[in-house]
Amino acid sequence: MSWKTWKVAVAALFVGATGLVTTFVMPGADPALAAKPRINTIGSPGVAIKGFDPVAYFTVGKPTKGSKEHELTHKGAKWRFASAENKALFEANPAKYEPAYGGYCAYGVAQGSLVKIEGNSWAIRNGKLYLNYNRSVQKRWARSPASYIKQANRKFSRLLKK
Protein backbone atom coordinates (compact mmCIF):
# COMPACT_ATOMS: atom_id res chain seq x y z
CA MET A 1 0.00 0.00 0.00
CA SER A 2 1.41 3.37 -1.00
CA TRP A 3 1.81 6.19 1.49
CA LYS A 4 -0.93 8.23 -0.24
CA THR A 5 -3.33 5.26 -0.21
CA TRP A 6 -2.57 4.70 3.47
CA LYS A 7 -3.30 8.36 4.25
CA VAL A 8 -6.64 8.08 2.45
CA ALA A 9 -7.51 4.93 4.40
CA VAL A 10 -6.63 6.59 7.70
CA ALA A 11 -8.33 9.88 6.80
CA ALA A 12 -11.85 8.48 7.13
CA LEU A 13 -12.76 5.73 9.57
CA PHE A 14 -16.32 4.60 10.07
CA VAL A 15 -17.12 3.71 13.63
CA GLY A 16 -19.81 1.06 13.29
CA ALA A 17 -20.66 0.76 16.97
CA THR A 18 -21.81 4.38 17.24
CA GLY A 19 -22.65 5.03 13.64
CA LEU A 20 -20.59 8.21 13.82
CA VAL A 21 -18.13 9.24 11.18
CA THR A 22 -14.78 10.01 12.77
CA THR A 23 -12.01 11.67 10.84
CA PHE A 24 -8.30 11.48 11.50
CA VAL A 25 -5.82 13.48 9.47
CA MET A 26 -2.17 12.60 9.22
CA PRO A 27 0.27 15.52 9.32
CA GLY A 28 0.77 16.66 5.76
CA ALA A 29 -2.36 14.88 4.50
CA ASP A 30 -4.49 16.59 1.90
CA PRO A 31 -7.09 18.74 3.78
CA ALA A 32 -9.78 17.63 1.30
CA LEU A 33 -9.39 14.11 2.70
CA ALA A 34 -10.49 15.38 6.10
CA ALA A 35 -13.95 16.33 4.84
CA LYS A 36 -16.77 13.97 5.73
CA PRO A 37 -18.50 12.20 2.86
CA ARG A 38 -21.34 14.37 1.60
CA ILE A 39 -23.49 11.26 1.06
CA ASN A 40 -24.19 8.76 3.84
CA THR A 41 -22.51 5.44 3.08
CA ILE A 42 -22.23 4.25 6.69
CA GLY A 43 -23.04 0.56 6.90
CA SER A 44 -22.52 -0.06 3.18
CA PRO A 45 -19.24 1.55 2.11
CA GLY A 46 -19.51 3.38 -1.17
CA VAL A 47 -23.27 2.78 -1.46
CA ALA A 48 -25.65 5.63 -0.62
CA ILE A 49 -28.32 5.19 2.06
CA LYS A 50 -27.63 1.49 2.62
CA GLY A 51 -28.73 0.60 -0.91
CA PHE A 52 -32.31 1.80 -0.51
CA ASP A 53 -33.97 3.25 -3.62
CA PRO A 54 -34.58 6.96 -2.86
CA VAL A 55 -37.22 7.23 -5.58
CA ALA A 56 -39.33 4.37 -4.18
CA TYR A 57 -40.11 6.37 -1.03
CA PHE A 58 -41.99 8.77 -3.31
CA THR A 59 -43.41 6.40 -5.93
CA VAL A 60 -44.48 3.38 -3.86
CA GLY A 61 -44.52 5.03 -0.44
CA LYS A 62 -42.27 2.55 1.29
CA PRO A 63 -38.60 1.65 1.69
CA THR A 64 -37.42 -0.57 -1.15
CA LYS A 65 -33.95 -1.98 -1.66
CA GLY A 66 -32.29 -1.15 -4.94
CA SER A 67 -30.16 -3.54 -6.97
CA LYS A 68 -26.68 -3.47 -8.50
CA GLU A 69 -28.40 -3.96 -11.85
CA HIS A 70 -29.90 -0.45 -11.57
CA GLU A 71 -27.01 1.53 -10.12
CA LEU A 72 -25.42 4.87 -10.87
CA THR A 73 -22.71 7.00 -9.30
CA HIS A 74 -23.75 10.43 -8.06
CA LYS A 75 -21.86 12.78 -5.71
CA GLY A 76 -19.18 10.15 -5.13
CA ALA A 77 -21.51 7.34 -4.03
CA LYS A 78 -23.31 4.48 -5.73
CA TRP A 79 -27.08 4.85 -5.71
CA ARG A 80 -29.22 1.76 -6.23
CA PHE A 81 -32.72 1.61 -7.63
CA ALA A 82 -35.43 -1.04 -7.74
CA SER A 83 -36.10 -0.45 -11.44
CA ALA A 84 -34.75 1.21 -14.56
CA GLU A 85 -37.68 3.63 -14.35
CA ASN A 86 -36.68 4.78 -10.86
CA LYS A 87 -33.09 5.18 -11.97
CA ALA A 88 -34.24 7.33 -14.91
CA LEU A 89 -36.41 9.48 -12.62
CA PHE A 90 -33.43 10.08 -10.32
CA GLU A 91 -31.09 10.88 -13.22
CA ALA A 92 -33.59 13.41 -14.59
CA ASN A 93 -33.96 15.24 -11.26
CA PRO A 94 -31.64 14.05 -8.47
CA ALA A 95 -32.44 17.01 -6.21
CA LYS A 96 -36.08 15.90 -6.07
CA TYR A 97 -35.20 12.42 -4.75
CA GLU A 98 -31.96 12.85 -2.79
CA PRO A 99 -32.67 12.58 0.91
CA ALA A 100 -32.06 15.62 3.07
CA TYR A 101 -28.62 15.95 4.64
CA GLY A 102 -27.06 13.46 2.22
CA GLY A 103 -29.09 10.66 3.78
CA TYR A 104 -27.66 11.07 7.27
CA CYS A 105 -30.12 10.83 10.15
CA ALA A 106 -32.15 14.06 10.16
CA TYR A 107 -32.47 14.03 13.95
CA GLY A 108 -28.74 13.32 14.33
CA VAL A 109 -27.85 16.27 12.11
CA ALA A 110 -30.16 18.50 14.18
CA GLN A 111 -28.27 17.32 17.28
CA GLY A 112 -24.89 17.99 15.63
CA SER A 113 -23.85 14.47 14.52
CA LEU A 114 -23.61 12.57 11.26
CA VAL A 115 -25.06 9.13 12.00
CA LYS A 116 -26.24 6.11 10.07
CA ILE A 117 -29.84 5.37 9.17
CA GLU A 118 -32.24 2.50 8.85
CA GLY A 119 -34.19 2.59 5.62
CA ASN A 120 -37.51 1.91 7.36
CA SER A 121 -37.28 5.07 9.50
CA TRP A 122 -38.32 7.86 7.18
CA ALA A 123 -40.72 10.67 6.37
CA ILE A 124 -41.48 12.95 3.46
CA ARG A 125 -42.18 16.56 4.41
CA ASN A 126 -42.74 19.33 1.91
CA GLY A 127 -41.53 17.08 -0.90
CA LYS A 128 -38.24 16.16 0.80
CA LEU A 129 -37.16 12.75 2.09
CA TYR A 130 -35.85 12.63 5.67
CA LEU A 131 -34.21 9.48 7.05
CA ASN A 132 -33.58 8.58 10.69
CA TYR A 133 -31.33 6.31 12.73
CA ASN A 134 -34.14 3.96 13.79
CA ARG A 135 -37.87 3.95 14.52
CA SER A 136 -37.43 5.24 18.06
CA VAL A 137 -35.42 8.24 16.87
CA GLN A 138 -37.88 8.75 14.01
CA LYS A 139 -40.75 8.98 16.51
CA ARG A 140 -38.80 11.58 18.50
CA TRP A 141 -38.05 13.54 15.30
CA ALA A 142 -41.73 13.36 14.28
CA ARG A 143 -42.80 15.22 17.45
CA SER A 144 -41.30 18.46 16.14
CA PRO A 145 -39.98 17.98 12.60
CA ALA A 146 -40.10 21.66 11.61
CA SER A 147 -37.89 22.56 14.57
CA TYR A 148 -35.45 19.73 13.89
CA ILE A 149 -35.30 20.58 10.18
CA LYS A 150 -34.50 24.19 11.04
CA GLN A 151 -31.71 23.09 13.41
CA ALA A 152 -30.33 20.57 10.92
CA ASN A 153 -30.36 23.10 8.08
CA ARG A 154 -28.10 25.36 10.16
CA LYS A 155 -25.70 22.58 11.14
CA PHE A 156 -25.28 20.26 8.15
CA SER A 157 -22.66 22.12 6.13
CA ARG A 158 -20.57 22.75 9.27
CA LEU A 159 -20.73 19.05 10.18
CA LEU A 160 -19.29 18.11 6.79
CA LYS A 161 -16.33 20.44 7.41
CA LYS A 162 -15.46 19.15 10.91
Side-chain angles (χ1 to χ4, degrees):
M1 181 182 296
S2 74
W3 172 247
K4 186 171 183 171
T5 303
W6 185 82
K7 286 195 295 188
V8 171
V10 171
L13 293 175
F14 293 97
V15 181
T18 63
L20 297 174
V21 177
T22 305
T23 305
F24 300 92
V25 179
M26 296 292 296
D30 183 347
L33 297 176
K36 309 267 188 326
R38 183 160 183 73
I39 303 298
N40 183 355
T41 60
I42 301 170
S44 54
V47 178
I49 65 171
K50 288 191 166 182
F52 283 90
D53 178 341
V55 175
Y57 291 98
F58 294 90
T59 59
V60 297
K62 66 179 184 177
T64 306
K65 280 289 198 170
S67 74
K68 288 182 182 180
E69 180 182 341
H70 306 293
E71 183 177 88
L72 65 84
T73 300
H74 175 70
K75 292 187 177 177
K78 294 176 186 174
W79 295 78
R80 294 186 178 159
F81 304 90
S83 67
E85 294 81 14
N86 283 6
K87 179 181 174 187
L89 285 169
F90 186 89
E91 285 179 301
N93 191 357
K96 179 177 180 175
Y97 299 106
E98 288 176 9
Y101 319 118
Y104 290 99
C105 172
Y107 179 81
V109 173
Q111 300 305 308
S113 297
L114 298 177
V115 296
K116 65 183 181 177
I117 53 95
E118 288 183 3
N120 62 356
S121 303
W122 63 284
I124 294 175
R125 290 193 46 87
N126 300 321
K128 194 70 180 166
L129 173 62
Y130 295 90
L131 300 169
N132 286 112
Y133 177 77
N134 61 24
R135 289 181 193 246
S136 173
V137 169
Q138 210 281 319
K139 285 178 185 177
R140 188 177 313 146
W141 182 85
R143 289 183 197 136
S144 186
S147 173
Y148 291 127
I149 290 168
K150 188 175 180 179
Q151 291 172 48
N153 286 345
R154 285 194 317 262
K155 294 177 182 179
F156 184 58
S157 63
R158 285 182 287 177
L159 287 171
L160 293 175
K161 294 175 186 175
K162 279 187 175 182

